[in-house]
Every structure is written in structure tokens, then in C-alpha cells.
Amino acid sequence: MHLFRAVLLLSLFLTGNAVHATPSELQQQFVDLMVEKHQFNRDVIESTLAKANKNPRILESIAKPWEAKPWHKYYPIFLTEKRLAKGLEFWNTHQQTLARAERESGVPAEIIVAIIGVETFYGTYIGKYSVLDALVTLGFHYPPRSKFFRSELEQLFLLAKEENFEITELKGSYAGAMGWGQFISSSYRHYAVDFDGDGVRDLLNNPDDAIGSVANYFKKHRWQANSDIAFKAQVSGTQHSKLLSKSLKYSHKWSQMQAAGVSVAETNLNKDESVKLFAFEQPNSKEYWVGLPNFYVITRYNHSPLYAMAVFQFSQQLKEGFNPATIARIDD
């Protein structure tokens, strides 16, 4: 292939202009990309893609995500007595590993336990879909986010090569997330760690590696150790409505929120702290919360304030329910 064509294909792939191409054209561009950019064997890529199937159920699932629900219908899915009991059992079983992860990363054990509980109910539901099918379906047949999922398909081939995975046997969510912590391919490559020292980064079957990798993910996304996550807020007047937005970026200081009629029971917030106001729908009202930087970090795992709030509230249930005196101490 001439260099000009290779550069053109890479440009199309990265800019998203290829989204106007047909699925077969997108697939051919993807094959060319893997050969030119990563020096994969063309026959290997083509034969592997030939084993993938477009799955209509995947397209149906991504069109109706749980995060589209209002808060009062969303949180009961995750904040249950059954999940809490399973979480406390998981914490008790893996308390040494969790204590080490917290010490090394600064991420509280209850946050790690909450993430794994929300994601897979502690390894019980790690996904039934072929990861290859999921990424091929969404990468070539789902225009709204095809660019992202083609990138994840690219990462999947690299991951399988690096970790010696049989790519056609990997199972996960309808979006291609894998293992106890539901890492997408790029996250697996960049944030997974071998936490038990056996020489393998196994997020599919090894809860120790999952614990360490979730902690590492949060650490790499700038989790602030020993810092608060969110405070329930009260609002007065109408100025606070101007602070609400769909963007997850923090563009206001606490002093600005106070001036707009937002208050919290806690009084130790710095006036220059970057914060964000969230409104969560209840059946007949709205519940307001002020998110701090660590709340934003949780949204890096799943770009949804509903998800982050569910994880936060579940983590508080876990923290309250677990007896710290039972945590096995590890010598530094």
C-alpha cells in the first residue's frame, strides 16, 4: 500500500469521516489500519473478523442504557440489601488485598468494593456477549459511536496479542467491557496491573488483580486521598439553575455556588474549591448534590453522574456496614 493511502485511511479513521462509509468499507479500512499501523498480518485480521457476527441485541441494549433512567428508578437497581451483603462478604474475604490497594493508591477500600459490586456483582455477571461481536457490531453498525468502538476493537487486537488471549473466546458486556471490573480494551491495556505478582494481568478470573487494577485506574485519574466525594445540598431562589449543565466538567468554585443560593451542612469547603452542582430526579422533586473532584474521578469510570452517585452511596453503605476492627493489618 502506498504511504499516501495509509495516511489517508488513518486520517479518516481518527477524524470520524469514515462514519459515512458502509460497514464493509469500514471493515476494510480497519483491516488496512491494523496492517499499516500495527503490522498485523492481513489474513489474520480478516479471518478473525470473519468469525464475528453482527448482534441485533447489542444494538438494542446500547439504545436503552440504564443511565437514561431517572435517579429514583436507577438507584434501586444497585442499592439493595443483597448487593450490600455480597459486598461485605467480598470485603471480608479480600480484606488484606483491599487494605494494600488502599495504602498504595489512596483509594478507599469501600470505593473499590462498590465499583466491583456495581459492575459485576462481584464476578457473578461478567457478561455473556462475545467481546469481538460487540465491538464489530458497534464499530461497524452503530454510527453514533462507531469511531469510539472501532478504536476499542483496535485495542482489543493489541490486548489479545499482548496477553495471549484467544480473541474469539473473550466474553463481556454488550459494550465490550470485560472481567470483574468491566474494563474496556483500552483501559485493560493501560490500567490493569498484576496485583498478586503471578506474572499475569488477569481481570477475567482473578479478583486480586481486579482490586489492584480498579485502584490503579482511580489513582491514574487523580483520585485525591483522604478527601470528600460529594455533599447533599440545599438550594434557594432561582440562580442555582444556571449552575446546572449536562457537562461533567467542573467550571465553578464553591464561592460561586454559595452566591447562587447553594448550601451544604458541612462548613469546611474551601471557597476556591472546584465543584459541580447536580440535580437528581425523585418522583416529585429534585435532590441536589455538590460534587467534589473525587466525584468527577468516579465519572471517569462511567461517564454518568447517576452511576457515580450510586457508587458513592453504595460505598457509604459498605463503609458503615463493615467492621474496621476485623481488617487484617499488613506490615509496611
Side-chain angles (χ1 to χ4, degrees):
M1 181 185 300
H2 294 299
L3 179 60
F4 175 78
R5 186 183 175 208
V7 172
L8 176 61
L9 287 172
L10 178 58
S11 175
L12 287 171
F13 187 83
L14 294 177
T15 62
N17 291 333
V19 74
H20 300 296
T22 65
S24 59
E25 289 171 337
L26 289 176
Q27 181 166 318
Q28 185 57 55
Q29 291 169 8
F30 179 81
V31 173
D32 291 341
L33 179 75
M34 296 304 293
V35 172
E36 293 298 319
K37 184 179 178 181
H38 301 294
Q39 292 73 54
F40 273 78
N41 180 281
R42 183 176 299 274
D43 291 339
V44 170
I45 299 295
E46 290 180 341
S47 63
T48 301
L49 292 177
K51 298 174 184 176
N53 297 299
K54 176 184 176 182
N55 189 331
R57 292 187 62 187
I58 290 173
L59 295 173
E60 293 171 4
S61 296
I62 201 167
K64 297 182 292 186
W66 284 350
E67 285 76 16
K69 300 177 183 292
W71 170 247
H72 63 90
K73 291 185 178 180
Y74 181 85
Y75 78 80
I77 300 171
F78 302 104
L79 304 182
T80 66
E81 289 297 323
K82 184 177 180 181
R83 197 180 304 269
L84 177 59
K86 189 73 171 178
L88 294 173
E89 177 186 347
F90 179 85
W91 193 342
N92 185 65
T93 300
H94 300 283
Q95 54 186 278
Q96 291 190 3
T97 303
L98 286 158
R100 179 164 70 91
E102 178 173 343
R103 186 177 68 247
E104 293 179 2
S105 68
V107 182
E110 63 266 20
I111 289 290
I112 302 170
V113 177
I115 287 287
I116 297 175
V118 167
E119 290 292 343
T120 63
F121 201 76
Y122 306 101
T124 304
Y125 308 112
I126 60 174
K128 60 183 179 181
Y129 295 98
S130 160
V131 175
L132 180 63
D133 285 358
L135 296 181
V136 165
T137 298
L138 297 171
F140 301 145
H141 303 279
Y142 185 62
R145 298 192 67 195
S146 61
K147 176 185 173 183
F148 170 78
F149 286 109
R150 287 197 306 277
S151 176
E152 286 304 312
L153 182 61
E154 176 186 2
Q155 295 293 313
L156 178 65
F157 274 96
L158 294 170
L159 175 67
K161 182 178 181 181
E162 292 165 355
E163 303 294 334
N164 198 30
F165 290 151
E166 176 50 61
I167 197 169
T168 59
E169 295 180 1
L170 293 171
K171 299 293 184 180
S173 74
Y174 68 79
M178 296 170 280
W180 285 62
Q182 292 291 276
F183 275 35
I184 56 177
S185 303
S186 59
S187 293
Y188 201 128
R189 291 190 68 221
H190 296 137
Y191 304 113
V193 296
D194 170 21
F195 205 56
D196 64 357
D198 66 355
V200 181
R201 300 190 305 168
D202 182 9
L203 306 189
L204 308 179
N205 307 293
N206 188 331
D208 287 350
D209 284 358
I211 288 168
S213 298
V214 169
N216 186 54
Y217 187 99
F218 278 81
K219 179 180 179 180
K220 294 297 185 182
H221 284 82
R222 301 182 180 180
W223 181 271
Q224 298 179 7
N226 304 311
S227 295
D228 293 309
I229 298 172
F231 292 129
K232 195 169 185 177
Q234 295 76 42
V235 298
S236 59
T238 60
Q239 292 299 309
H240 69 274
S241 61
K242 297 179 181 180
L243 304 176
L244 297 168
S245 68
K246 291 184 178 180
S247 172
L248 292 174
K249 293 182 179 179
Y250 284 30
S251 56
H252 297 101
K253 302 295 184 182
W254 172 234
S255 59
Q256 294 175 291
M257 289 203 176
Q258 288 180 301
V262 180
S263 62
V264 296
E266 293 74 10
T267 59
N268 61 343
L269 274 175
N270 187 298
K271 64 183 180 65
D272 293 321
E273 178 78 88
S274 293
V275 294
K276 182 169 178 58
L277 183 65
F278 294 96
F280 295 94
E281 293 183 51
Q282 295 290 13
N284 300 305
S285 63
K286 290 183 178 179
E287 183 177 296
Y288 293 92
W289 286 77
V290 172
L292 279 67
N294 278 346
F295 190 85
Y296 177 78
V297 175
I298 300 176
T299 67
R300 300 306 85 201
Y301 207 94
N302 180 315
H303 294 186
S304 165
L306 277 72
Y307 174 89
M309 181 54 67
V311 167
F312 169 58
Q313 292 193 8
F314 183 36
S315 75
Q316 298 309 290
Q317 292 179 349
L318 288 161
K319 184 178 181 180
E320 183 178 347
F322 193 76
N323 182 0
T326 68
I327 297 179
R329 301 300 175 184
I330 304 174
D331 292 335
D332 292 333

